[in-house]
Amino acid sequence: MLLTLFCATIIVFLLIQLVPGDPAVIVAGEDASVERVEEVREELGLNNPMPVQYLDWVGGIVRGDLGDSIITGEPVADAMKRTFPRTLHVVIAGLTLAVMLGVPLGIAAALRANSAADGGIRMLATAGLAVPNFWLGLIMVSIFALHWDWLPATGVVSVT
């Protein structure tokens, strides 16, 4: 397990390094002077060798320091704490829906083994696994928010 975790952290770190663009330019701004970009690069530790950057990155994760958002400047951990209740709400709703649909359909397929109903349920389950989540999400937003107007298309709306 530790070897897998170690390999996963290396892969994620390397993928982050492959993202196009210079993080120092993004943080400093497109119109920043070369000196300002170098200051930001030094502040972020981007001048350090890759192994040192990796150890700093992993050390931050272990300490719970996920860094600051490049866009808002707030600590990422604070943003996650703020959005966690809504995320938990969506997870619970999704799991509830999955159980409410999956268990009865599974029982129906088992009771009618090798029937047309069983084949249809298996085909529906296979399609559900094969469809990319991002595409299914867009289709569901289109149907439930835009077409039927059951849910807000832009997320949670608070009424004050």
Side-chain angles (χ1 to χ4, degrees):
M1 181 179 90
L2 291 176
L3 179 62
T4 302
L5 186 62
F6 174 70
C7 291
T9 61
I10 288 178
I11 290 170
V12 169
F13 178 78
L14 291 176
L15 287 174
I16 291 170
Q17 300 303 313
L18 292 175
V19 171
D22 185 356
V25 172
I26 294 170
V27 171
E30 292 290 328
D31 299 331
S33 66
V34 175
E35 294 81 19
R36 175 64 187 140
V37 171
E38 281 303 316
E39 286 175 19
V40 170
R41 191 172 282 121
E42 190 64 38
E43 289 170 11
L44 296 176
L46 299 174
N47 291 335
N48 296 335
M50 281 280 214
V52 173
Q53 289 182 38
Y54 170 77
L55 291 175
D56 288 344
W57 180 72
V58 170
I61 292 172
V62 169
R63 289 187 310 273
D65 177 12
L66 303 176
D68 296 331
S69 169
I70 291 176
I71 297 169
T72 64
E74 80 174 304
V76 172
D78 291 348
M80 290 174 66
K81 287 176 193 170
R82 187 181 69 251
T83 59
F84 182 76
R86 289 185 181 156
T87 302
L88 186 61
H89 181 85
V90 170
V91 168
I92 290 171
L95 284 173
T96 302
L97 184 63
V99 169
M100 288 174 60
L101 289 174
V103 170
L105 287 174
I107 291 171
L111 292 175
R112 294 169 185 81
N114 299 321
S115 69
D118 178 36
I121 292 169
R122 277 189 286 147
M123 190 166 50
L124 181 66
T126 302
L129 291 172
V131 172
N133 290 333
F134 67 89
W135 187 80
L136 182 61
L138 289 173
I139 296 301
M140 292 179 81
V141 166
S142 176
I143 292 170
F144 293 109
L146 302 177
H147 184 67
W148 290 341
D149 201 26
W150 287 0
L151 301 169
T154 57
V156 176
V157 179
S158 61
V159 179
T160 56

